Amino acid sequence: MLADGNNQPPRPSFFSRLISLLIKAIVLLALLFVFDKLLPSISQQTQSFVVAKWQQLSLLQQELPTENSLPSPLPERNLTDTWGAARSQGRSHEGIDIFAPRNTPVRSTTQGVVSKVGENTLGGRVVVVVGPGGAGHYYAHLEDYADISPNDWVDQGDVIGYVGDSGNAKGTPTHVHYGIYINGSAVNPYPLLQKD
């Protein structure tokens, strides 16, 4: 105990208070800089995700595709029903193959939200668009993608990729594998496509 009865610690010097204030100001400015750089990116990603989910909910309220209601992903190309054909490892074909020269533009058969732009073992480069009724439209064996990303909105007829032979189609005649999935199950897309 101090002789004068004062229990308070000594006041920091002006210099140490100034240093402390400068450190706090630098930390605050650094945090503001980080938030300024991160928030627009986070905000934009969140907004894109929320808009995509809202669009998907709206699409669920719409009718599923019906017979002869969808344009071909490769207009003016011959359509053949290859649904159910035998494939390797005891699989059956869950879609149809539409043949065309490499890099022919592949068009979305429907309006919808892009849910995947990426690769898988069988399909190679693939794009999936969720359309009316929640139907998934699957485009596989692409050479390349159009300028699209997951959560983007596409309209019917928009280019989503280009014909190729990626995945397990390597070395076969170039084509797009087109499939439709409703409630997670593959359905034959051939009857749903308009025939010329």
Side-chain angles (χ1 to χ4, degrees), residues 62-141:
Q62 298 176 23
E63 296 295 319
L64 286 165
T66 58
E67 194 169 318
N68 296 315
S69 66
L70 300 172
S72 173
L74 295 174
E76 302 177 17
R77 302 308 294 187
N78 184 42
L79 296 180
T80 304
D81 190 354
T82 57
W83 171 264
R87 291 296 185 262
S88 63
Q89 301 166 344
R91 296 177 299 114
S92 64
H93 198 218
E94 293 187 343
I96 66 170
D97 291 335
I98 308 168
F99 295 88
R102 189 177 305 278
N103 291 317
T104 300
V106 177
R107 299 185 179 279
S108 180
T109 59
T110 183
Q111 67 176 1
V113 175
V114 176
S115 69
K116 178 173 182 161
V117 178
E119 296 193 27
N120 67 37
T121 305
L122 295 177
R125 292 181 193 93
V126 303
V127 170
V128 178
V129 175
V130 176
H137 299 259
Y138 176 75
Y139 308 83
H141 307 312

